[in-house]
Every structure is written in C-alpha cells, then in structure tokens.
Amino acid sequence: MSKVHNFSAGPCILPPEVLKEAAEAVVNFDNLNLSLLEISHRSKNFVAVMDEAVALVRELMDVPDNYTPIFIQGGASLGFIISALNMRGKHGKAAYTNTGTWANNAIKEAKQFLNVVEIASSKDANFNYIPKGYTIPSDVDYFHFTSNNTIFGTQVKDMPKTSVPLVCDMSSDILSRKVNVADFDLIYAGAQKNMGPAGATLYIVKNDVFANSQKPIPSYLDLSIHADKESMFNTPPVYSVYVCMLTLRWLKKNGGVSWIEGVNQAKADCIYNEIDRNPLFEGTAAKEDRSNMNACFKLKDEKYQEQFDAIWKAAGVSGIKGHRSVGGYRASMYNALPLESVQVLANCMKELEKNV
Ligand SMILES: *Cc1c(COP(=O)(O)O)cnc(C)c1O
C-alpha cells in the first residue's frame, strides 16, 4: 500500500504504533486471552488503564495536585453543557468570546442555564481572527473561550489573564503546546483531535469548582460525582480511554509536550511559509492568529482547483478539503502527523506553481 498523508480534521491521524497495539488489544488484551472490549470496566486490568491515562495527563500537562482529570463520554458538545452547569455560581452570569462554530455552540448551550454576555466576536469577518483588547466583567461566574478554532484555523496565542474563573474548550489543541493549567478552573477537550479516538472527553477540573457550583446538577453532568468515582460513575468509554492512554504513552516516550510543540511549530512554519511564498495561494486567517493545528488556505484563482486536486491526490494527501463554512483547503496537522507529510503537501503546492 502506498503511504497516505492524513490531514483529517477529526477524528484524525493517530501514531501507527498506537493503532497496532490498539488492534492487538481487541483480540488479546494483557495476555488475558480476552478482548479489551469484553472485560469489565471494574476489572483490575482496565482500572490500571484508567489510572495510567489519568496519571499521564497529570504528568504531561503538569497538572497541579488540586486539580482532577476526568474521562467521560459525550464529546466536547456535552462539555458545553457540563461546563456551564458546573461553573454556574452566585452570579448566574458568564462571559464568552465568540470565535467560531464551536464557541457559538458553547454560548447557545450556556444560555439555557445562565445569563450569557458575548464580550467579543469575530463574526464580522467570518471568524478569521481572534478578538483582542476586550474587557471581562467582574460580576460573572466564569469566562469561557475556545483555544483553537478548528474550522476557521485561528488559535489564541496568549492565553487570557483574568481574576475571573477561566474555562477553555481545548478540544483541538490540547497537548499540542505548553499550557499553564494553574491559570484555568476548567479545561475540557474531546479526545478525537490530539489525544485519541472519538468517545472519551477529558475534563481537568480545579477542585474548588466542586464546592462552588449551584446544585442541583443531574448526576451524569456533575463533575464532582465523576471525580469522586474516579471516572467510573458509569461505564466509561473503555476502548477510547485505552487508545488515549497509548497515545499519551507515545507522547511521553518521544519527549512530551515540549517536544511535540517544537514539531508542531516546524509543521506550521512549513505550510505557512509555502502559503505566503507561493503566488497561487493565500491564507484565510489573520497571520498573527494562525493556528498551528489547522491551516486554512485557498487558491487565489479557482480555475486551478482541478489541477491542484489531482496533484495532491496523486501524492497520497488525504482530508484537506476545507469546511463548507470557509471553503478552500484545511490542512489539519495534529500531534501524530509527521513533518514529512506537511513537506509533501507543500511540494504539491510548488508543483502546481511549476505546472501553470
Ligand atoms: C471538534 C470540536 C468540538 C466538538 O467535539 P465533539 O466531541 O464532536 O462534540 C468542540 N470544540 C472544538 C474546538 C472542536 O474542535
């Protein structure tokens, strides 16, 4: 089989050695002669998987002791609801920035439970930049933002500094760069971009949150219950947690977050240098806010589309069609994508230039 360069936006590429080990565990896990899929989540073999996944999150992200990592189901879309319900406090009010589809969905959900103030938005320019210079009101229970806007290819470079509790949807750039967890009260992320397959969602919660939230909260949506039960309140997404654990092991073995941050910067430099150099292409996001995870770009003249598509398809590039709300192309360059794949794509862009 010829090599495929997988730029899928999510679910997305995983390290080949992780996929191999994950495949073996489907047939025979831990030499039990049983599949990981057919053992109890309360067996000591699976409890060890969950414990290691949580320990690796703590280690790789330098999570302080007064925080609890939790793996549950529901994706980041349930995270929009869970974050609002657990962060809701005495003000019944929250501040959000609207930086794209996912931020907008988070706002929509929070509005069901709280008075939401949208303190900044980049909707006026189809979300092609990150708003700056906004003021976070002090009479809110929390401030919510999206660190990386997967669809529009923008990324918050300087994390907001505020005395208000800080909540972040980090779904598409968690573990891709160093983050100071102590600055946040709640971080959540669907696994299927940088951490593993779909099915598991990671929450990293400051323990103060458990006491400060306004009850009642339905049990499954209550993070304090999941923390008490060590992510075993009900059946966790066992396979997804297992593959996340393998992916976290892979990251640690290779040098952790500081290593991958360097690799991700090299990949981003490679694609953006070509987008800026090549007269046939242009980037769609403001330069200073460009995402190191999702590079969005288009042809200046659409008449070359067929020719360009034929070139990258022949080179084994896959998954670079842009989201329908932006058009053009989107190269998603999550942790597991090697620099070599980005070089192949940049060479396809050079080849088009030579041919026209
Ligand atoms: C993909 C994504 C989501 C949605 O995740 P689901 O797990 O499908 O609910 C939310 N936020 C961001 C930033 C994303 O990239």
Side-chain angles (χ1 to χ4, degrees), residues 164-206:
V164 163
L166 194 56
V167 179
C168 185
D169 172 4
M170 258 182 221
S171 293
S172 55
D173 67 354
I174 193 156
L175 292 157
S176 74
R177 57 173 170 169
K178 276 217 142 53
V179 158
N180 186 21
V181 173
D183 290 341
F184 296 83
D185 290 66
L186 174 61
I187 292 168
Y188 64 98
Q192 70 272 21
K193 279 122 188 175
N194 268 316
M195 211 164 30
T201 315
L202 173 66
Y203 294 77
I204 302 175
V205 199
K206 192 175 186 176

Side-chain angles (χ1 to χ4, degrees), residues 149-160:
N149 298 283
T150 324
I151 292 174
F152 299 92
T154 63
Q155 187 174 31
V156 174
K157 302 289 170 182
D158 299 313
M159 294 297 184

Side-chain angles (χ1 to χ4, degrees), residues 78-151:
L78 187 62
F80 302 152
I81 298 165
I82 287 183
S83 53
L85 279 174
N86 286 265
M87 294 303 300
R88 181 178 57 175
K90 61 176 195 281
H91 299 289
K93 186 174 166 189
Y96 280 68
T97 44
N98 185 0
T99 53
T101 309
W102 300 118
N104 195 54
N105 287 358
I107 290 169
K108 212 168 71 192
E109 298 294 349
K111 278 185 174 165
Q112 303 189 63
F113 314 107
L114 292 125
N115 174 10
V116 172
V117 278
E118 198 178 294
I119 57 172
S121 169
S122 46
K123 197 171 176 193
D124 56 343
N126 199 30
F127 301 113
N128 73 358
Y129 69 100
I130 299 287
K132 292 164 205 85
Y134 49 79
T135 308
I136 302 166
S138 56
D139 64 336
V140 293
D141 294 321
Y142 64 94
F143 169 58
H144 178 287
F145 73 105
T146 311
S147 54
N148 184 71
N149 298 283
T150 324
I151 292 174

Side-chain angles (χ1 to χ4, degrees), residues 13-84:
I13 186 166
L14 289 167
E17 60 261 49
V18 165
L19 292 177
K20 188 165 173 290
E21 203 173 340
E24 282 160 10
V26 172
V27 180
N28 179 8
F29 173 58
D30 262 3
N31 283 322
L32 295 171
N33 282 324
L34 291 167
S35 168
L36 175 76
L37 304 178
E38 56 180 1
I39 62 168
S40 167
H41 58 293
R42 304 200 187 275
S43 64
K44 75 173 187 342
N45 302 74
F46 184 76
V47 170
V49 169
M50 181 64 90
D51 288 349
E52 186 174 346
V54 169
L56 283 166
V57 167
R58 280 197 181 281
E59 182 181 346
L60 288 164
M61 291 186 71
D62 259 327
V63 176
D65 289 343
N66 60 326
Y67 284 68
T68 308
I70 295 166
F71 281 99
I72 58 174
Q73 312 202 33
S77 297
L78 187 62
F80 302 152
I81 298 165
I82 287 183
S83 53

